[in-house]
Amino acid sequence: MTIPEAETETREVSDEVSRLCNQLLRTAKTPRHRAAVQALADERTILEVPAARHALVVDTSRGARANFEGLSGIQYGLGLDEQQRTFLGLVLSMVGIGITTLASVEDLDDRRLPIILRAILRLAGNDTIAVGTRL
C-alpha cells in the first residue's frame, strides 16, 4: 500500500515545521521571544504557511532565528485567515511589536485561546497557574 502524495507532503511540512520550531526556540534571544516562538510552535498552522516562515525566519551564523519585525510589516499579506491574524497579532504584541489589544482574545477559538493564555503565563514567568477546561 502506498502513501498518497498529499499525505507525504503534509508530513514533510510537519517535520520541517517541528525542526524549525526547535531551532527557533534554541536561538530565541529573550524570554519574550521564547514565549512568542513557543506560542507559534503550539499553534502550528501559521508556521505551516510558507510566506509566514519566509517572513519570520532569518539565517544567522548560529542557525535560523525568529525575526518578528519581518512579520509585522506584512502580517496582512501572508494569506492568513482571521483567527490566524488575530493570534499572530497577539504574539507580535508579546515581543513589543504592533498595537493588538488584549481584548482581541475574545475572537480566538477554543484551540488558540489556551495557547495564548499559556504564552502569557510564560511571559510572566509563572509556571504554577494551569490553563485548561473548567469543571
Side-chain angles (χ1 to χ4, degrees), residues 81-91 100 104 107-108:
D81 64 29
E82 189 63 34
Q83 285 280 318
Q84 290 169 316
R85 276 194 305 276
T86 299
F87 187 90
L88 182 56
L90 287 163
V91 168
T100 302
S104 65
D107 297 328
L108 294 178

Side-chain angles (χ1 to χ4, degrees), residues 105-123:
V105 296
E106 68 186 3
D107 297 328
L108 294 178
D109 59 18
D110 290 344
R111 186 179 77 78
R112 289 180 177 97
L113 181 58
I115 295 169
I116 210 70
L117 291 174
R118 283 190 296 273
I120 291 169
L121 290 172
R122 262 186 228 104
L123 187 62

Side-chain angles (χ1 to χ4, degrees), residues 21 25 33-43 87 115 119 122:
C21 291
L25 283 168
H33 283 178
R34 271 191 292 285
V37 167
Q38 186 64 58
L40 287 174
D42 293 347
E43 194 277 343
F87 187 90
I115 295 169
R122 262 186 228 104

